[in-house]
Amino acid sequence: MVVEADESDGTFTRLPATVVVVTNMDPEHMDHYGDFEGVRAAYRQFVENIPFYGFAALCLDHPEVQSLVAEVTDRRVITYGFNPQADVRAENIAFKGGVATFDVTFAPWLNGGREEVIEGVRLPMLGMHNVQNSLAALTIGNEMGIPSSVMKRAMEKFTGVKRRFTRTGESNGVVVIDDYGHHPVEIAAVLRAGRMAVEETGGKIISVFQPHRYSRLSSLFDQFCTCFNDAEIVLVADVYAAGEAPVAGADKKNLVDGIKRHGHRHAEILGGPETLAAQVAELAQPGDYVICLGAGNITQWAYALPGQLGAISAQKGKAKAS
């Protein structure tokens, strides 16, 4: 069984895992942990809970995870990433036509003393973060004894995960993307991937963001103000409360003001899902990507948007004809 471990309330330490993967550790869920040291301790316990015959695949590119590597001394640890010191690392990375191509090198100690390289791995996804995540899967596959040819073929046929840079449609050359990204680190990674996409179309990125939880927006406010740099335009919706009570200062107006204050040239308030199509229609041109981000009900907006944009375009066409 493959399980996505949710650290939000600490219960992920109860998972009876044989293998664990830690991609990153960021200061979040302070309402539960109290401080970041509490988060670090929980991840340390998560890794140390694995049995002696298990192992941990840890991303050496993330400073906090690298610190975790140093602290875990009695469990088998395999590191992965772009870091030259990683046990499993990606090299010669290139992106073209929505496909990432790269080589993967496995350290000699993983394969009986001989270095192994899988050349020309093809992953039909944009973004360095997707290449990085694929290394975690390849690390586990190698430990399970899966042949390189099988792993390479699996990567090439991977169709993605719903709500991770999912294309919901296109209208007059404007592509709409739905993504679950709701943390500043995730948002920045998604928009970097979007930047790769518009480099091929010559367009721009219009980011539509629905903040998820007042507490998250409040505790990471400065990070949210600086994670949209790869989007030419940012539209900010009302906070998806997820059952929380409002927090002073954590709202769409203050976030828009903060984004502008940190140097962004074009951020504006989204009136609501009912105004989304009209606002996007005024801003978008063929070749643009509209990337909808958030963990709330914005996914519904993303799936409705291509049709709504088409309807607006059709109405304009009728108006011109008459």
Side-chain angles (χ1 to χ4, degrees):
M1 179 185 292
V2 179
V3 178
E4 180 181 3
D6 179 8
E7 82 279 17
S8 63
D9 60 0
T11 54
F12 76 130
T13 59
R14 303 177 192 173
L15 290 172
T18 302
V19 177
V20 304
V21 175
V22 180
T23 57
N24 60 286
M25 294 164 54
D26 295 302
E28 198 178 9
H29 309 300
M30 294 301 124
D31 54 326
H32 173 76
Y33 292 102
D35 56 28
F36 194 31
E37 187 50 48
V39 177
R40 293 185 180 106
Y43 272 96
R44 191 162 55 250
Q45 181 182 346
F46 179 54
V47 172
E48 291 178 343
N49 281 348
I50 61 177
F52 70 91
Y53 51 84
F55 68 94
L58 306 183
C59 182
L60 204 61
D61 298 330
H62 195 283
E64 286 292 338
V65 181
Q66 187 169 23
S67 296
L68 178 64
V69 171
E71 294 176 4
V72 178
T73 58
D74 58 352
R75 292 295 185 273
R76 190 166 188 263
V77 171
I78 303 172
T79 61
Y80 70 88
F82 307 127
N83 189 320
Q85 307 308 315
D87 298 317
V88 181
R89 62 187 185 276
E91 299 171 317
N92 303 319
I93 305 165
F95 293 92
K96 187 175 182 180
V99 177
T101 304
F102 53 98
D103 301 333
V104 180
T105 300
F106 296 88
W109 76 271
L110 295 174
N111 296 297
R114 59 180 178 81
E115 184 177 82
E116 183 174 343
V117 180
I118 307 178
E119 296 182 344
V121 176
R122 289 171 55 83
L123 181 68
M125 302 184 76
L126 293 172
M128 294 292 283
H129 65 296
N130 286 316
V131 174
Q132 192 179 58
N133 288 341
S134 75
L135 293 177
L138 292 167
T139 297
I140 296 171
N142 185 68
E143 286 297 295
M144 293 175 65
I146 298 175
S148 298
S149 59
V150 175
M151 292 194 290
K152 186 175 180 179
R153 187 163 63 250
M155 289 293 108
E156 187 167 7
K157 292 185 176 181
F158 183 59
T159 56
V161 178
K162 191 174 183 180
R163 298 226 61 207
R164 291 299 188 187
F165 214 82
T166 301
R167 182 174 175 141
T168 65
E170 181 177 338
S171 177
N172 297 315
V174 177
V175 177
V176 180
I177 299 293
D178 177 39
D179 197 279
Y180 187 71
H182 57 283
H183 184 280
V185 174
E186 297 171 345
I187 292 168
V190 172
L191 295 180
R192 281 194 296 269
R195 178 59 49 205
M196 294 178 182
V198 296
E199 282 176 358
E200 297 185 6
T201 66
K204 63 182 180 293
I205 295 174
I206 301 172
S207 174
V208 183
F209 177 52
Q210 182 187 49
H212 185 262
R213 294 184 183 273
Y214 295 104
S215 58
R216 178 180 287 113
L217 179 57
S218 178
S219 63
L220 299 174
F221 190 83
D222 286 343
Q223 291 93 320
F224 277 115
C225 289
T226 57
C227 68
F228 292 96
N229 294 336
D230 275 310
E232 280 82 1
I233 300 171
V234 184
L235 306 181
V236 180
D238 287 313
V239 176
Y240 187 85
E244 289 187 343
V247 175
D251 56 46
K252 63 182 179 182
K253 181 183 183 305
N254 278 299
L255 181 55
V256 167
D257 290 344
I259 292 171
K260 290 179 178 177
R261 193 166 58 248
H262 283 76
H264 201 287
R265 297 172 184 170
H266 191 159
E268 61 182 73
I269 292 172
L270 176 66
E274 68 281 359
T275 70
L276 175 59
Q279 285 184 249
V280 170
E282 289 297 318
L283 299 166
Q285 299 292 330
D288 291 353
Y289 270 60
V290 179
I291 302 179
C292 298
L293 292 154
N297 62 348
I298 191 172
T299 184
Q300 299 166 14
W301 312 352
Y303 277 88
L305 185 56
Q308 293 169 342
L309 291 175
I312 291 174
S313 178
Q315 289 176 354
K316 289 182 177 178
K318 288 180 181 179
K320 287 182 180 179
S322 61

